[in-house]
Every structure is written in structure tokens, then in C-alpha cells.
Amino acid sequence: MSGTKQAAGNGVSYSDAGVDIAAGNALVDAIKPLAKSTRRKGADSALGGFGGLFDLKACGFKDPVLVAANDGVGTKLRIAIETGRHHGVGIDLVAMSVNDLVVQGAEPLFFLDYYATGKLDVTAAREVIAGIADGCRQAGCALIGGETAEMPGMYHGGDYDLAGFAVGAAERKNLLPKKDVRPGDVILGLASSGPHSNGYSLVRKLVEMSGLAYSAKAPFDKTKTLAEALLIPTRIYVKPILKAIKATGAVKALAHITGGGFIENIPRVLPKTTVAEIDLDQVPYTSVFEWLQGVGGVAEREMLRTFNCGIGMIVVVAAKDAKKVAASLNKSGEQVVTLGTIRKRKGAEEQVALSGTFSVK
């Protein structure tokens, strides 16, 4: 007989397999106050149950439609893991889902996260979840639950991956996009905070080509290290947009500019008979994008289909309403630019027509 038997009462444990139950319990205790800080009407239950509860009636909806979205952070996580800066990617996780909800006119109500790792680092995980709670507060939604999975063999060491799940609601009559988007409407753009959470496989390749360490000063922002500059969280547009929708009643359509940029995201909210004319001269193309483009000689078209290039959200309004919608968004702290107009489509042409070129603002 080969092999060695463990003595009775001293058999192999879950810990021997690489899973630390005590660390998982410690993390749950550490994040309870973070979840509590995100409470809102409809969400009053504490963490620890088998599922999160939400009372939709408490929010005052009359004819609600639920809207759900989920997303991750992508390879931006690699920079966070390699540099030990975890808070911002928690905000990114929330932003990528709640920004998708608000483009349909929905108010984010609650959020759940999934954190998977090879070896649970309670300090790093708590920092990530603190960022998630921060993002939830920015979006006005409650963090009502989540899952932490320690999976040795699936992930290397302290490497981790994130997924987020957001649910919101809108009154049926207020769902976006509206059916009256038409030629002559104006396209407004809201400035992004940087690359947000898209294109980071290319970002990391370009950093490698530059020869710079993440700890070096960012060539495009001497006040930050390269890691700090590239890990700036995704801007959360929820509260300013919901306020503008309520205050003006004039928002016809919204498009969250993520992977695929203008070219792929704007047509998702347009009638097939229309084209969005975008003037690239008006885009607040900031120095981070200029640096990335310059390092690799990246073609403008490739930049446009990979990054937001300075605009994180598109707002479509009637020409007569453009000023009041822009004023509302400006008052809420958004940088608003007029990017172009909607016109009639000719045959099978692309639904985004670009003119001008990028210049650093």
C-alpha cells in the first residue's frame, strides 16, 4: 500500500487546500460598515443572509420597469494588483454598470459584487469593497450583498477578478431612448475622467513600450505617478443625469461611451434612419490620450474604437432644449460640450459621421 494516511482527528482541512475560512469571515465583518453606509430607501437589511432584499414599493414608483446591468473592470485590475492601489477599481466596478442603467432612464437601486481570488488578502479586498461602497454612494444605490470566492488553482496568489451587478428602475413612460429622436436634434457630450475602464490591454502594452515604471511620474501629469493617473476611476454620471432628466424633461437619448467608442455605442440609441454627426474638434481630448496615442503611433480610428477619447456620455436633445439641459448638467459639475447634430441617413452609410480631428484641450 502506498501513501500515508492522516491520523484520525487530524485529517486534511480546507485550509490545507488553500482556502482560509477565517479570512473570509474577517472580511465579512470588515465590510459590514461599508455596506451600511450605502443604505437608501428600500434597502434596510444587513449583510449575512442568503440574498439581499429590496422593497421597491418604498421608493414610490407607480408603474416601474426593472432594468439590470452587469460588468467588470477588465485588465485595469492588473495595474491595481501590481501597484497595490485597489480603491479606484471598486468605483470602476460600480460605474460601469450604473452608467449603463441611467442611459435607459433608470435610477440605480441596488448593487451586488463578486470578488474572486487565489489567496484572500483581507486588506486588499476591504480596499476594493470600500471603493465599491464609495461608487454606490456616488450613484445613490445600496450595496446589499455579494460573494467572495477564494479559488486556489484558478487564480495566481493574490490576483483577483471582479464582477458587478446593478438593478435599477424607471417609470415605464420615462424609459429611454425616446422614439422622437430626429434630424436636427443636438448631441451633447460629457467629459470623461480618463480612459475609464476600457482599452487597458492596449494601455498596458503602450506602458510597456514606453519603458516607464508605474511608479514613475506620469509624462502627461507631473502631479501623479503613472499608476495614479491611469487608475483614476470611471466617472459616475448618474445623479447629474437623473437631475437633468427630472428638471428639464428634455433628454431624448443617452449613450454610455465604453469599449467601441463613439462608433459602436452611439448607434445603439439612434433610429436606423438617422446619423450622428460628430465634430472631433469639440472633443476634450486630454493629454493622457495624446500620450497613449503618441507612444504607439496609434491611428485615430483605432483610438476611437478602443477608448472614450475624452467623452464618457452622450446626451441627445432637441435643439431648443440644448441650452437648458447643458445648464443643468453644468450646475451639477459636468463639463459639457456640443459635439454635433442628428441628420437623416443616406442609404446604408455608417450611423456615426466624423469630421475634424483630435486636439489636446
Side-chain angles (χ1 to χ4, degrees), residues 135-215:
C136 286
R137 289 191 296 270
Q138 290 183 41
C141 63
L143 176 59
I144 65 169
E147 172 70 7
T148 301
E150 193 172 18
M151 297 191 291
M154 287 290 290
Y155 298 90
H156 177 71
D159 285 0
Y160 61 84
D161 197 10
L162 302 174
F165 309 85
V167 174
E171 295 291 359
R172 192 180 306 272
K173 65 180 181 179
N174 295 332
L175 286 169
L176 298 177
K178 299 291 188 183
K179 294 181 179 179
D180 62 344
V181 174
R182 58 171 60 98
D185 287 347
V186 170
I187 304 166
L188 304 176
L190 307 187
S192 66
S193 56
H196 285 179
S197 297
N198 301 108
Y200 272 81
S201 293
L202 179 55
V203 168
R204 290 167 47 243
K205 176 67 175 177
L206 295 172
V207 170
E208 182 183 342
M209 290 175 63
S210 77
L212 289 174
Y214 286 118
S215 58

Side-chain angles (χ1 to χ4, degrees), residues 341-352:
T341 56
I342 303 294
R343 67 163 170 82
K344 187 176 180 180
R345 189 180 187 188
K346 300 171 185 176
E349 67 174 320
E350 288 190 2
Q351 282 196 275
V352 177

Side-chain angles (χ1 to χ4, degrees), residues 42-335:
D44 295 316
S45 59
L47 291 184
F50 286 98
L53 305 178
F54 194 90
D55 181 0
L56 193 59
K57 187 176 180 180
C59 297
F61 287 98
K62 295 180 174 62
D63 185 22
V65 174
L66 291 178
V67 183
N70 72 297
D71 211 334
V73 180
T75 59
K76 188 175 185 178
L77 291 178
R78 274 266 45 103
I79 303 176
I81 291 166
E82 290 173 16
T83 62
R85 305 182 66 87
H86 307 286
H87 184 92
V89 293
I91 299 174
D92 287 314
L93 185 67
V94 177
M96 297 307 288
S97 286
V98 298
N99 284 342
D100 279 353
L101 292 185
V102 79
V103 300
Q104 293 170 93
E107 174 190 349
L109 300 176
F110 60 86
F111 189 85
L112 300 99
D113 67 275
Y114 177 73
Y115 181 104
T117 184
K119 178 66 176 175
L120 183 59
D121 179 333
V122 174
T123 301
R126 188 194 179 283
E127 189 178 344
V128 170
I129 297 170
I132 292 171
D134 189 353
C136 286
R137 289 191 296 270
Q138 290 183 41
C141 63
L143 176 59
I144 65 169
E147 172 70 7
T148 301
E150 193 172 18
M151 297 191 291
M154 287 290 290
Y155 298 90
H156 177 71
D159 285 0
Y160 61 84
D161 197 10
L162 302 174
F165 309 85
V167 174
E171 295 291 359
R172 192 180 306 272
K173 65 180 181 179
N174 295 332
L175 286 169
L176 298 177
K178 299 291 188 183
K179 294 181 179 179
D180 62 344
V181 174
R182 58 171 60 98
D185 287 347
V186 170
I187 304 166
L188 304 176
L190 307 187
S192 66
S193 56
H196 285 179
S197 297
N198 301 108
Y200 272 81
S201 293
L202 179 55
V203 168
R204 290 167 47 243
K205 176 67 175 177
L206 295 172
V207 170
E208 182 183 342
M209 290 175 63
S210 77
L212 289 174
Y214 286 118
S215 58
K217 288 294 182 185
F220 50 89
D221 186 348
K222 299 298 185 184
T223 68
K224 296 180 177 65
T225 66
L226 187 55
E228 288 170 338
L230 293 176
L231 288 172
I232 291 173
T234 304
R235 189 166 184 84
I236 293 177
Y237 299 98
V238 170
K239 289 183 179 179
I241 285 177
L242 289 177
K243 186 174 181 180
I245 289 172
K246 186 175 181 180
T248 69
V251 174
K252 291 188 174 188
L254 298 158
H256 185 199
I257 305 304
T258 54
F262 295 154
I263 297 167
E264 294 183 15
N265 288 292
I266 296 177
R268 296 164 69 179
V269 299
L270 296 182
K272 297 296 183 184
T273 56
T274 62
V275 167
E277 289 194 319
I278 302 290
D279 181 0
L280 297 181
D281 289 329
Q282 303 307 312
V283 173
Y285 194 69
T286 51
S287 54
V288 60
F289 296 110
E290 181 190 37
W291 182 76
L292 290 168
Q293 185 176 18
V295 168
V298 184
E300 187 171 89
R301 179 86 177 182
E302 187 68 12
M303 293 294 293
L304 277 162
R305 65 194 292 267
T306 306
F307 301 112
N308 65 61
C309 294
I311 294 292
M313 187 70 71
I314 293 289
V315 186
V316 180
V317 297
K320 65 181 179 62
D321 296 320
K323 285 186 178 179
K324 68 179 179 181
V325 173
S328 174
L329 292 164
N330 278 319
K331 190 175 180 181
S332 295
E334 297 301 322
Q335 179 187 344

Side-chain angles (χ1 to χ4, degrees), residues 278-285 300 337-339 354-361:
I278 302 290
D279 181 0
L280 297 181
D281 289 329
Q282 303 307 312
V283 173
Y285 194 69
E300 187 171 89
V337 296
T338 301
L339 291 176
L354 303 170
S355 62
T357 190
F358 290 134
S359 59
V360 177
K361 303 296 189 288

